[in-house]
């Protein structure tokens, strides 16, 4: 069976790596891929990003199964395009992907279906947005309505930060947000206190299977300081997601979302990621939805997953009104998986490209360096994006995982590289 992974980041490298080890998979293609997938002869990079051209290529090549990594192709309707031509693909349709591609759609959906989330309002007029912030006070959260590669959220601790965020989201578009119809909008919502966790499930249109729990580190600097990023590291499992929190998240957030989409005439398939804020009493609220696996959470999750990923996705894409995920159970490595993101100079606002990377180690059973923002030219692998690598390891506990991950990371070099030194600290505190 030939498999296609759509995307070019660390999440897609991890998916390709996992699928490559599956019994029935003969070849893994990655479109467009990155320097890491180019470096590994087990993968073939396909330099196509246009949705229709990619579908045509996949048909010609005889691809048996496609899995979509990033949000952009989902929002562009890649799942609809493949399915309309009778091809098996795992991901959310364009209509379902609005849960991620439009913060305004997502918040209105949650309000309509009684899914716990922060109080909010939506604005396209800067004057009205500024007035709302003055009325509500700080801390307060400002979110760009559109796709912003994980960076379109500002948790403003002061009114000045909130006003600045409104201006650069509505007027300057510094983050390069891909706006939805109607132009620039922001969602402004109450600040929720607590601990964040990533709650990710697979859905085949009816049946839902949760993945192992995970937690990522959004802030650039140690101790959760500095600006928000797309994620500076992650680990699995996440102790904050207790059995009770897990049950509540499924009962109060995940299942009502799948059923709510169905009530709205949308069948949900693909990965569903709920970013949770868990308060001191263990009550989860929804910070956001993503219609895909998290990045960098995917890298530790794929390291821990013992089940055959191809068979899981094959069952999920079984033709019919829905798939056969009810016949699947997932098996997880008991060990801790932890990933440290190595970012480029200037990340997150002005990442530098073109720095040569040296010291990349060969993968082992318990340590893999997944590539994200890299490109291979000749024998040289260089930086090509903000988040460059994710050094991911397995170990018996969090402290050992930290030691191993940072030992590997210290052997890698490129000019200006930056990374946090405390990934996983919440699991070892106290």
């Amino acid at each position: 069976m030939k498999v296609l992974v759509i995307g070019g980041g660390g999440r897609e490298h991890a998916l390709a790596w996992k699928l490559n080890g599956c019994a029935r998979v003969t070849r893994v293609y990655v479109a467009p891929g990155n320097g890491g997938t180019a470096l590994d002869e087990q993968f073939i990079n396909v330099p196509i990003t246009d949705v229709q051209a990619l579908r045509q290529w996949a048909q010609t090549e005889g691809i048996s199964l496609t899995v979509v990594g990033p949000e952009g192709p989902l929002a562009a309707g890649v799942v609809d395009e493949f399915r309309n031509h009778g091809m098996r693909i795992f991901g959310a349709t364009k209509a379902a992907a609005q849960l991620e591609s439009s913060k305004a759609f997502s918040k209105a959906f949650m309000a309509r279906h009684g899914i716990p989330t922060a109080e909010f309002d939506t604005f396209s007029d800067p004057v009205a947005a500024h007035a709302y912030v003055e009325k509500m006070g700080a801390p307060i959260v400002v979110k760009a309505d559109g796709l912003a590669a994980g960076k379109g959220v500002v948790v403003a601790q002061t009114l000045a930060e909130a006003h600045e965020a409104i201006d650069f989201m509505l007027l300057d578009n510094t983050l390069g947000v891909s706006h939805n119809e109607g132009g620039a909008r922001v969602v402004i919502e109450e600040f929720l206190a607590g601990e964040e966790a990533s709650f990710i499930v697979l859905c085949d249109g009816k049946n839902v299977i949760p993945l192992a729990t995970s937690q990522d580190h959004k802030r650039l600097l140690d101790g959760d300081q500095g600006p928000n990023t797309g994620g500076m590291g992650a680990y699995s499992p996440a102790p904050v997601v207790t059995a009770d929190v897990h049950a509540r998240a499924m009962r109060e957030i995940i299942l009502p979302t799948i059923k709510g989409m169905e009530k709205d005439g949308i069948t949900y398939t693909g990965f569903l990621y709920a970013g949770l804020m868990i308060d001191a009493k263990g009550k989860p609220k929804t910070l956001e939805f993503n219609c895909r696996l998290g990045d960098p959470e995917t890298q530790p999750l794929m390291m821990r997953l013992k089940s055959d990923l191809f068979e899981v996705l094959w069952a999920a894409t079984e033709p019919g009104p829905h798939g056969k995920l009810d016949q699947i159970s997932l098996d997880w490595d008991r060990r801790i998986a932890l990933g440290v993101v190595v970012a480029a100079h200037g990340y997150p606002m002005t990442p530098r490209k073109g720095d040569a990377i040296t010291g990349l180690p060969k993968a082992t059973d318990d340590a893999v360096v997944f590539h994200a923002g890299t490109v291979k030219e000749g024998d040289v692998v260089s930086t090509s994006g903000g988040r460059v690598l994710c050094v991911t390891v397995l170990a018996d506990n969090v402290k050992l995982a930290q030691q191993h991950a940072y030992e590997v990371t210290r052997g890698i070099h490129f000019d200006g590289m930056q990374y946090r030194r405390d990934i996983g600290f919440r699991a070892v505190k106290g």
Side-chain angles (χ1 to χ4, degrees):
M1 298 274 196
K2 295 179 179 179
V3 176
L4 170 64
V5 177
I6 296 178
R11 166 186 46 228
E12 291 76 41
H13 190 180
L15 284 169
W17 171 83
K18 189 65 188 173
L19 286 163
N20 188 63
C22 296
R24 288 207 281 162
V25 174
T26 55
R27 176 61 78 183
V28 178
Y29 298 85
V30 192
N34 58 39
T37 51
L39 201 60
D40 193 326
E41 293 178 354
Q42 297 176 103
F43 310 124
I44 297 176
N45 282 0
V46 181
I48 303 173
T49 53
D50 176 77
V51 165
Q52 193 172 16
L54 196 54
R55 185 267 305 162
Q56 290 170 340
W57 174 88
Q59 277 185 304
T60 302
E61 190 60 42
I63 298 296
S64 300
L65 174 70
T66 299
V67 57
V68 189
E71 61 274 25
L74 293 172
V78 69
V79 171
D80 310 71
E81 175 70 19
F82 273 58
R83 283 190 189 155
N84 288 341
H85 290 83
M87 303 188 72
R88 285 175 98 123
I89 184 167
F90 188 69
T93 61
K94 184 175 183 176
Q98 291 177 95
L99 268 181
E100 175 172 8
S101 63
S102 172
K103 293 285 192 294
F105 174 93
S106 177
K107 294 294 285 191
F109 171 87
M110 285 188 265
R112 191 162 63 247
H113 294 288
I115 295 162
T117 189
E119 293 295 320
F120 74 100
D121 209 340
T122 304
F123 301 91
S124 55
D125 175 14
V127 175
H130 286 302
Y132 183 79
V133 162
E134 284 293 336
K135 182 178 81 173
M136 300 302 291
I140 197 163
V141 182
V142 184
K143 297 180 176 181
D145 178 38
L147 297 177
K151 298 187 288 292
V153 178
V154 172
V155 181
Q157 297 297 328
T158 65
L159 287 174
E161 287 177 20
H163 290 309
E164 182 184 35
I166 290 165
D167 285 341
F168 75 62
M169 287 181 191
L170 286 181
L171 301 176
D172 306 335
N173 196 18
T174 309
L175 296 172
V177 175
S178 176
H179 295 312
N180 295 303
E181 287 182 25
R185 286 192 298 184
V186 292
V187 172
I188 303 177
E189 60 183 42
E190 69 169 319
F191 171 80
L192 297 178
E195 191 169 341
E196 285 190 53
S198 307
F199 200 95
I200 307 171
V201 304
L202 301 101
C203 186
D204 64 7
K206 178 184 178 183
N207 306 295
V208 178
I209 298 183
L211 298 182
T213 62
S214 58
Q215 186 175 55
D216 79 336
H217 297 63
K218 285 272 189 269
R219 298 283 188 166
L220 180 68
L221 305 173
D222 289 6
D224 288 335
Q225 301 297 308
N228 262 336
T229 72
M232 292 301 293
Y235 64 98
S236 172
V240 69
V241 184
T242 62
D244 181 60
V245 170
H246 194 285
R248 290 188 72 158
M250 286 294 289
R251 184 177 67 246
E252 299 173 11
I253 295 170
I254 299 295
L255 295 178
T257 297
I258 302 300
K259 289 173 182 170
M261 292 295 274
E262 189 177 359
K263 282 180 187 173
D264 291 352
I266 300 170
T267 301
Y268 195 94
T269 56
F271 297 107
L272 178 64
Y273 167 123
L276 304 181
M277 181 64 80
I278 302 161
D279 68 16
K281 296 180 180 177
K283 182 175 182 180
K285 283 190 176 183
T286 316
L287 291 173
E288 64 175 354
F289 284 120
N290 294 329
C291 298
R292 54 183 167 86
L293 284 167
D295 187 344
E297 296 95 330
T298 304
Q299 293 87 312
L301 288 172
M302 290 302 106
M303 289 285 282
R304 286 191 65 214
L305 181 64
K306 296 174 75 174
S307 303
D308 186 305
L309 181 60
F310 175 83
E311 299 300 341
V312 174
L313 299 179
W314 191 256
T317 54
E318 192 70 28
H322 55 77
K324 295 184 177 178
L325 281 179
D326 55 333
Q327 300 175 17
I328 295 289
S329 60
L330 299 181
D331 187 22
W332 298 94
D333 195 305
R334 61 170 182 78
R335 290 175 290 175
I336 299 287
L338 184 144
V340 175
V341 168
V342 184
H345 174 82
Y347 180 74
M349 296 305 286
T350 55
R352 189 171 70 201
K353 300 178 181 180
D355 290 308
I357 306 167
T358 58
L360 290 168
K362 289 194 181 305
T364 65
D365 289 342
D366 60 0
V368 182
V369 178
F370 294 112
H371 289 234
T374 68
V375 63
K376 180 176 179 284
E377 294 170 332
D379 294 329
V380 178
V381 177
S382 303
T383 63
S384 65
R387 290 183 296 169
V388 178
L389 305 166
C390 185
V391 178
T392 313
V393 305
L394 284 167
D396 286 329
N397 58 53
V398 177
K399 286 190 175 179
L400 287 173
Q402 289 174 322
Q403 289 171 14
H404 193 185
Y406 287 111
E407 181 183 355
V408 175
T409 303
R410 284 191 293 270
I412 299 168
H413 177 76
F414 60 87
D415 287 346
M417 64 186 276
Q418 54 174 328
Y419 56 92
R420 283 180 56 160
R421 270 84 173 164
D422 66 345
I423 300 303
F425 78 94
R426 289 186 182 279
V428 293
K429 63 184 179 182

